[in-house]
Amino acid sequence: MNELINDVKIDAFHSFQDEIIPVIEFKKRYGDKIGILGGVDMDKLCRLENTELRQYVRSILQECMPYRYALGSGNSIANYIPLENYLAMLEEGLNWFDKQ
């Protein structure tokens, strides 16, 4: 990753899976050098119950916002993601801004 940031000069990174590297860990390692896009794990976005999902998204926002972070999924929003879970993720993002 350091070569991509320093030599290739990428300025943002997308596509995260908690099994590989959670977005919060990536933010701790590289967040002062590169923008971070997404990070809500697709499996969790698909499977978690509403309350658990909202807590998970809030934890990402607390650790990653406001500097160099854009809330979103770990990848594209697939058609199998429950609409209510996708909307819950977006609502938590809006709520985060209301609390600031």
Side-chain angles (χ1 to χ4, degrees):
M1 186 54 64
N2 285 321
E3 289 83 8
L4 290 172
I5 295 168
N6 298 321
D7 300 339
V8 178
K9 306 284 188 210
I10 64 170
D11 59 2
F13 188 79
H14 178 261
S15 192
F16 295 92
Q17 291 177 296
D18 285 358
E19 291 294 320
I20 296 171
I21 184 168
V23 68
I24 291 171
E25 181 60 33
F26 188 90
K27 174 72 173 183
K28 289 176 184 173
R29 289 186 197 178
Y30 306 107
D32 62 332
K33 300 174 186 160
I34 188 171
I36 299 169
L37 308 172
V40 176
D41 188 86
M42 290 288 288
D43 185 61
K44 289 182 178 166
L45 188 58
C46 185
R47 297 176 192 253
L48 289 180
E49 295 296 324
N50 189 280
T51 302
E52 277 184 291
L53 177 63
R54 287 176 179 276
Q55 171 116 14
Y56 170 70
V57 172
R58 281 193 300 269
S59 70
I60 290 172
L61 291 167
Q62 288 170 342
E63 295 295 324
C64 294
M65 289 294 281
Y67 187 65
R68 295 183 181 208
Y69 178 72
L71 177 64
S73 71
N75 212 319
S76 298
I77 299 295
N79 63 354
Y80 56 81
I81 298 297
L83 179 60
E84 57 274 4
N85 286 10
Y86 175 67
L87 294 175
M89 177 186 72
L90 296 179
E91 188 174 313
E92 288 301 322
L94 291 171
N95 289 343
W96 190 88
F97 280 105
D98 287 343
K99 293 176 184 175
Q100 300 310 303

